[in-house]
């Protein structure tokens, strides 16, 4: 579909509350000195590693760390709040297992061992394993489990995704095996592989099996069936992803799996909990950073993209299908793409746009989540914090400075003061080639909201004149963006970013000056 206009106007009826809240915010916060947002380089894992330190981060050492993390993910004594992501921990262990000692490799094999369950029920594609004695009378039934998994499986297949790969005769036959088991606190479920090795070097498409909690008694926010539904949607999508590329970037695997919870079971809204630690609430954290629970919160970025480009294949967004097809490693080395490359190509395919442009738009939109997102008001989405704000009188100017890492942003607000009619914006940033982008949002007193792109030159300079009449403009907000997706040392280091590489454009200076007239 064609790319929507870069400047758009939203009906006043939808935005009256937004403009009112902006005016109220101005009234209550202008007395606080504006502070420019900064991002400490000490928080950038990998960016602070010296070459000497990195030389000791060998594959064998990484394998030991992967074994420890996977062990912690499945251990009974791990507190729920500290439990690592089991699917991704086991994924990393699979990819590094060959670098372990024989004893550690045996321990790794034990972690990926399938549960033993006496009963089975299934269809042509799924085999559910369970122990009738373990199913709680207050939980879900095995019939509900099979029906849920059938719905999830068929929805993915009928929307263009390949089915999970056959595991031969493991679990009984070539169908994907789903085990219902009593899992540790904080663990909804997981998928992994017990494939011994890759089918071919550089081909990371592997089979999978999944384990789901057998009663979800420890998750009271939703019913056992609702917890089963969103977990099945999430984990089965991992099994589907593994049929394309188990080795792709962790943030990409998890964020897109969380989106699928929302696509298949929109009314459950378990994914809403992750917005507390997301690009909305932590705009200075790169969205491709894997760690903690932040990568789950990045589902919101994909929600923005698929609401903007809503074309579907079957029942699901075409954009995400194309992204995973672009990441398909079954085509062999150097033919697949890592996360940001795959997303960028998918955006070109569905909207003739780029990830840089859309990340910039998203970064501005997170200041108006109740308006921009379909469920923003109903679910009371959080709103991005300002990096600074000021009232500017005619003839006066105000500047804000910050430093931005890749795939981060900061937003600054200018409020019309006495005698103003125009606001002349001057931006000084890194060159556009380094990812610099900027978007201005004009909040009208009548409830309108208009977004406009500020063009950044090859030298990092941007100019824009904006209406600034206090009678019609409540506030002007400028979002400074580092949309860089350039990395070095891809696949040769062990950072938590895309391609495990080192971002080339972190800690870049950015400044916006507003002069009122």
């Amino acid at each position: 579909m064609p790319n929507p206009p870069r400047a758009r106007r939203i009906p006043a009826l939808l935005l009256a509350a937004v403009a009112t809240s902006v005016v109220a915010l101005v009234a209550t916060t202008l007395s606080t000195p504006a502070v420019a947002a900064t991002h400490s380089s000490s928080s950038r894992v990998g960016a602070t590693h010296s070459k000497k330190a990195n030389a000791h981060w060998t594959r064998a050492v990484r394998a030991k760390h992967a074994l420890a993390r996977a062990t912690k993910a499945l251990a009974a004594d791990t507190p729920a709040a500290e439990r690592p992501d089991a699917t991704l921990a086991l994924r990393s262990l699979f990819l590094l297992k060959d670098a372990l000692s024989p004893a550690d490799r045996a321990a790794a094999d034990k972690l990926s061992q399938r549960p033993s369950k006496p009963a089975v029920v299934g269809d042509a594609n799924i085999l559910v394993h369970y122990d009738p004695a373990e199913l709680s009378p207050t939980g879900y039934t095995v019939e509900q489990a099979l029906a849920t998994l059938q719905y999830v499986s068929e929805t993915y297949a009928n929307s263009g995704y390949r089915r999970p790969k056959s595991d031969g005769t493991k679990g009984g036959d070539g169908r994907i095996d789903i085990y219902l088991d009593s899992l540790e606190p904080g663990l909804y479920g997981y998928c992994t592989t017990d494939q011994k090795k890759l089918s071919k070097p550089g081909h990371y498409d592997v089979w999978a099996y999944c384990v789901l909690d057998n009663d979800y008694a420890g998750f009271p926010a939703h019913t056992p069936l609702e917890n089963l539904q969103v977990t099945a949607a999430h984990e089965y999508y991992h099994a589907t992803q593994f049929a394309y590329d188990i080795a792709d970037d962790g943030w990409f695997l998890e964020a897109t799996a969380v989106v699928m919870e929302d696509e298949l079971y929109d009314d459950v809204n378990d994914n809403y909990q992750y917005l507390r630690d997301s690009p909305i609430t932590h705009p200075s954290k790169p969205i491709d950073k894997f760690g903690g629970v932040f990568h789950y919160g990045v589902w919101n970025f994909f929600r923005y993209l698929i609401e903007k480009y809503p074309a579907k294949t079957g029942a699901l967004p075409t954009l995400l299908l194309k992204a995973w097809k672009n990441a398909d490693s079954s085509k062999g080395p150097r033919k697949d793409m890592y996360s940001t490359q795959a997303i960028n190509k998918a955006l070109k395919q569905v909207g003739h746009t780029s990830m840089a442009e859309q990340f910039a738009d998203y970064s501005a939109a997170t200041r108006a989540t109740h308006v921009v997102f379909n469920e923003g008001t109903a679910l009371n989405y959080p709103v991005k914090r300002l990096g600074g704000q000021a009232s500017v009188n005619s003839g006066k100017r105000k500047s804000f400075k910050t430093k931005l890492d890749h795939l981060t942003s900061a937003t600054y607000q200018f409020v019309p003061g006495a005698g103003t009619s125009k606001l002349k914006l001057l931006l000084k940033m890194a060159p556009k080639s380094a990812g610099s982008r900027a978007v201005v949002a004009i909040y009208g007193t009548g409830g309108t909201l208009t977004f406009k792109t500020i063009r950044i030159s090859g030298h990092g300079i941007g100019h824009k004149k904006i209406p600034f009449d206090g009678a019609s403009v409540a506030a002007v907000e400028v979002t400074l963006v580092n949309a860089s997706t350039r990395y070095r040392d891809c696949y040769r280091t062990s950072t938590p970013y895309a391609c495990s590489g080192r971002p080339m454009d972190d800690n870049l200076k950015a400044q916006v000056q507003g002069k009122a007239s």
Side-chain angles (χ1 to χ4, degrees), residues 84 223 244 263 315 321 406 414 421 455:
T223 68
Y244 291 90
E263 286 294 310
L321 174 64
H406 75 290
F414 299 89
S421 61
R455 187 182 300 276

Side-chain angles (χ1 to χ4, degrees), residues 32 45 55 128 135 155 160 174 177 298 312 326 349 357 390 418 432 471:
T32 303
V45 179
V128 178
L135 297 182
T155 299
D177 299 291
V298 179
K312 292 184 181 294
N326 295 338
Q349 292 169 322
E357 291 178 9
K432 183 178 180 181

Side-chain angles (χ1 to χ4, degrees), residues 6 344 347 354-361 435 437 481 483-485:
R6 298 283 291 153
N344 188 62
L347 283 165
S354 68
M355 183 168 174
E357 291 178 9
Q358 296 312 312
F359 178 69
D361 287 353
R437 301 291 189 277
V481 182
S484 174
T485 54

Side-chain angles (χ1 to χ4, degrees), residues 426-430 456 459-462 480 509-513:
L426 171 63
L427 279 65
K428 296 180 180 179
M429 305 179 71
I456 304 299
H459 298 290
I461 304 299
L480 305 179
K509 294 180 180 179
Q511 176 180 356
V512 56
Q513 174 186 279

Side-chain angles (χ1 to χ4, degrees), residues 254-327:
E254 285 296 0
T256 55
V258 176
V259 169
M260 286 304 167
E261 299 176 28
D262 209 37
E263 286 294 310
L264 273 70
Y265 296 101
D266 183 48
D267 293 336
V268 178
N269 295 319
D270 186 68
N271 59 329
Y272 173 73
Q273 64 179 301
Y274 302 121
L275 294 184
R276 295 193 297 265
D277 189 2
S278 70
I280 300 175
T281 56
H282 293 90
S284 62
K285 186 181 293 188
I287 68 165
D288 67 333
K289 184 175 182 180
F290 180 85
V293 296
F294 178 77
H295 49 264
Y296 294 112
V298 179
W299 73 266
N300 182 252
F301 172 61
F302 291 102
R303 168 56 60 204
Y304 174 81
L305 295 180
I306 60 182
E307 287 185 5
K308 195 170 182 179
Y309 300 99
K312 292 184 181 294
T313 300
L316 298 176
T318 300
L319 173 65
L320 296 187
L321 174 64
K322 288 188 176 295
W324 275 104
K325 285 187 173 183
N326 295 338

Side-chain angles (χ1 to χ4, degrees), residues 191-464:
C191 287
T192 188
T193 184
D194 52 0
Q195 190 167 313
K196 293 299 182 184
K197 61 181 181 179
L198 301 176
S199 59
K200 298 178 183 178
H203 293 247
Y204 293 95
D205 51 317
V206 301
W207 73 61
Y209 72 87
C210 301
V211 183
L212 307 180
D213 193 64
N214 60 12
D215 64 8
Y216 291 106
F219 303 90
H222 304 286
T223 68
L225 178 58
E226 288 173 335
N227 284 316
L228 168 70
Q229 289 170 336
V230 294
T231 305
H234 183 115
E235 296 301 335
Y236 201 94
Y237 196 64
H238 281 319
T240 302
Q241 293 167 341
F242 289 2
Y244 291 90
D245 188 357
I246 192 175
D248 215 303
D249 298 315
W251 78 279
F252 182 44
L253 276 83
E254 285 296 0
T256 55
V258 176
V259 169
M260 286 304 167
E261 299 176 28
D262 209 37
E263 286 294 310
L264 273 70
Y265 296 101
D266 183 48
D267 293 336
V268 178
N269 295 319
D270 186 68
N271 59 329
Y272 173 73
Q273 64 179 301
Y274 302 121
L275 294 184
R276 295 193 297 265
D277 189 2
S278 70
I280 300 175
T281 56
H282 293 90
S284 62
K285 186 181 293 188
I287 68 165
D288 67 333
K289 184 175 182 180
F290 180 85
V293 296
F294 178 77
H295 49 264
Y296 294 112
V298 179
W299 73 266
N300 182 252
F301 172 61
F302 291 102
R303 168 56 60 204
Y304 174 81
L305 295 180
I306 60 182
E307 287 185 5
K308 195 170 182 179
Y309 300 99
K312 292 184 181 294
T313 300
L316 298 176
T318 300
L319 173 65
L320 296 187
L321 174 64
K322 288 188 176 295
W324 275 104
K325 285 187 173 183
N326 295 338
D328 182 9
S329 72
S330 69
K331 299 177 290 188
R334 294 180 297 279
K335 293 182 180 179
D336 64 323
M337 299 179 175
Y338 57 80
S339 59
T340 54
Q341 293 175 326
I343 297 163
N344 188 62
K345 183 176 179 180
L347 283 165
K348 289 181 179 178
Q349 292 169 322
V350 304
H352 306 290
T353 184
S354 68
M355 183 168 174
E357 291 178 9
Q358 296 312 312
F359 178 69
D361 287 353
Y362 168 75
S363 298
T366 53
R367 278 288 299 156
T369 54
H370 287 205
V371 173
V372 173
F373 291 91
N374 291 343
E375 295 183 323
T377 298
L379 296 181
N380 193 27
Y381 275 24
V383 176
K384 177 184 181 181
R385 297 186 306 273
L386 289 171
Q389 56 199 140
S391 176
V392 188
N393 296 331
S394 181
K396 301 296 183 180
R397 67 185 71 194
K398 177 63 181 179
S399 294
F400 296 103
K401 297 179 180 180
T402 189
K403 291 182 179 179
L404 298 172
D405 285 349
H406 75 290
L407 295 175
T408 68
S409 69
T411 301
Y412 302 95
Q413 186 183 84
F414 299 89
V415 178
T420 61
S421 61
K422 296 288 183 182
L423 182 68
K424 184 177 181 180
L425 296 171
L426 171 63
L427 279 65
K428 296 180 180 179
M429 305 179 71
K432 183 178 180 181
S433 60
S436 293
R437 301 291 189 277
V439 178
V440 62
I442 305 171
Y443 289 82
T445 55
T448 57
L449 174 58
T450 305
F451 292 102
K452 296 180 181 291
T453 297
I454 303 177
R455 187 182 300 276
I456 304 299
S457 74
H459 298 290
I461 304 299
H463 299 274
K464 198 80 172 180

Side-chain angles (χ1 to χ4, degrees), residues 434-517:
S436 293
R437 301 291 189 277
V439 178
V440 62
I442 305 171
Y443 289 82
T445 55
T448 57
L449 174 58
T450 305
F451 292 102
K452 296 180 181 291
T453 297
I454 303 177
R455 187 182 300 276
I456 304 299
S457 74
H459 298 290
I461 304 299
H463 299 274
K464 198 80 172 180
K465 287 185 178 180
I466 303 296
F468 206 52
D469 180 356
S472 61
V473 176
V476 170
E477 293 183 354
V478 180
T479 298
L480 305 179
V481 182
N482 180 343
S484 174
T485 54
R486 303 194 303 176
Y487 309 89
R488 62 170 63 90
D489 299 328
C490 277
Y491 311 114
R492 297 200 299 271
T493 56
S494 183
T495 73
Y497 303 118
C499 76
S500 296
R502 298 187 182 282
M504 296 175 61
D505 301 305
D506 276 0
N507 204 34
L508 301 184
K509 294 180 180 179
Q511 176 180 356
V512 56
Q513 174 186 279
K515 182 178 180 181
S517 60

